[in-house]
Amino acid sequence: NPRVRQTLGYAPEEINALGPSLLATVLHPDDARWFIEEQVPRILAAGDDDTFVGIYRFRHRSGEWRWFRAHQRVFSRTASGEPWQLVGTAHDITAEREAEQALALATTAVTAAANGIVVTNVAGTIQWVNPAFCAMTGYTQGEVVGSTPRVLKSGLQDEAFYRTLWETVLQGRVWRGRLSNRRRDGSLYVEEMTITPVAAGGDRITHFVAIKNDVTREEELQQRLRGAERMEAVGQLASGVAHDF
């Protein structure tokens, strides 16, 4: 029909002129092989009311491959009942497929991330965590999804700390900070955390994404360094006093 010009760039008469070479010209070789060897026999063996769905790559006249979801069925039969014509409709789903692929890539990336990642709703209920979070805290995904980050509270931060945190993110601003949390086994660790408000599909905040990095080792080294600097300062002071005497 005329719509083929918009979807594939060909005029209907050009499609008709392709004749038997239509599939070889327009359909991806792998999809054409599957269609001919597997899909067509199923269609021909089915009843007139049976519709078959397939996902295919069609080549646009520009050379670009585009994704289509197609429905096919027997359209007419010979006097003896043999299938004579097939009818098919195809809907361009290229944008949908690209969105799915982008989502799959994003999901793979955050799942594989070395930093702990936590997604909560606006009330703070945990919706999703990645494996790095589980490795950091000792909690499984099933244990924390549906709860809140309060399961990690160590009691070493006062209420004013958390009040400032919530005021920041609820105003749509990014919060960054360092705090002490408690693992599932009760041990303490220090983490650097960045919380980003997310407005999914609108201007209203719907979720928060927290990126967590365990900096316990760095914190211990910094404390040792500060202790060594204090001891050095005391030693210099004592040396100076001795010299004065």
Side-chain angles (χ1 to χ4, degrees):
N1 65 355
R3 180 74 175 175
V4 74
R5 186 190 297 273
Q6 295 173 281
T7 56
L8 291 178
Y10 291 94
E13 55 271 19
E14 292 178 298
I15 293 291
N16 291 332
L18 288 172
S21 64
L22 172 63
L23 294 184
T25 303
V26 177
L27 199 56
H28 190 282
D30 293 340
D31 297 340
R33 188 178 308 110
W34 175 82
F35 177 69
I36 294 171
E37 295 177 0
E38 298 187 34
Q39 189 78 322
V40 169
R42 293 192 188 102
I43 298 171
L44 297 180
D48 292 351
D49 295 330
D50 294 321
T51 300
F52 291 80
V53 181
I55 304 296
Y56 305 93
R57 285 159 291 184
F58 288 174
R59 189 198 301 272
H60 191 274
R61 188 172 186 176
S62 66
E64 174 191 8
W65 288 105
R66 302 189 65 81
W67 290 91
F68 284 79
R69 181 182 292 110
H71 298 72
Q72 304 103 11
R73 67 177 179 85
V74 173
F75 180 66
S76 67
R77 295 179 180 273
T78 63
S80 61
E82 293 298 318
W84 175 245
Q85 292 176 313
L86 301 182
V87 62
T89 60
H91 177 65
D92 190 337
I93 59 168
T94 304
E96 177 184 328
R97 292 283 297 199
E98 290 175 348
E100 289 174 353
Q101 291 171 352
L103 179 59
L105 176 60
T107 301
T108 301
V110 298
T111 299
N115 290 344
I117 300 177
V118 181
V119 179
T120 76
N121 62 18
V122 72
T125 302
I126 296 174
Q127 309 285 293
W128 183 85
V129 297
N130 72 339
F133 169 87
C134 298
M136 181 189 305
T137 65
Y139 286 97
T140 65
Q141 189 175 62
E143 288 174 318
V144 294
V145 170
S147 64
T148 70
R150 285 193 293 270
V151 298
L152 303 176
K153 286 185 71 171
S154 64
L156 298 179
Q157 286 81 221
D158 58 21
E159 290 305 313
F161 175 90
Y162 293 104
R163 186 165 54 251
T164 300
L165 184 158
W166 274 103
E167 288 175 353
T168 300
V169 295
L170 287 173
Q171 291 172 5
R173 295 184 286 123
V174 175
W175 183 90
R176 296 181 178 86
R178 181 173 289 196
L179 68 160
S180 295
N181 273 339
R182 191 179 301 276
R183 299 185 182 92
R184 189 179 188 278
D185 63 7
S187 61
L188 297 176
Y189 70 100
V190 181
E191 70 173 51
E192 280 184 345
M193 181 168 62
T194 300
I195 304 177
T196 303
V198 177
D203 297 329
R204 184 173 59 87
I205 296 172
T206 57
H207 296 82
F208 299 112
V209 177
I211 310 296
K212 297 169 171 284
N213 185 30
D214 187 341
V215 294
T216 305
R217 178 65 176 165
E218 291 87 335
E219 182 72 12
E220 291 173 350
L221 291 175
Q222 288 178 6
Q223 289 180 356
R224 290 179 186 177
L225 178 60
R226 287 193 290 268
E229 290 173 344
R230 286 196 295 269
M231 291 299 294
E232 181 182 1
V234 171
Q236 290 176 348
L237 176 61
S239 176
V241 170
H243 180 270
D244 289 343
F245 274 105

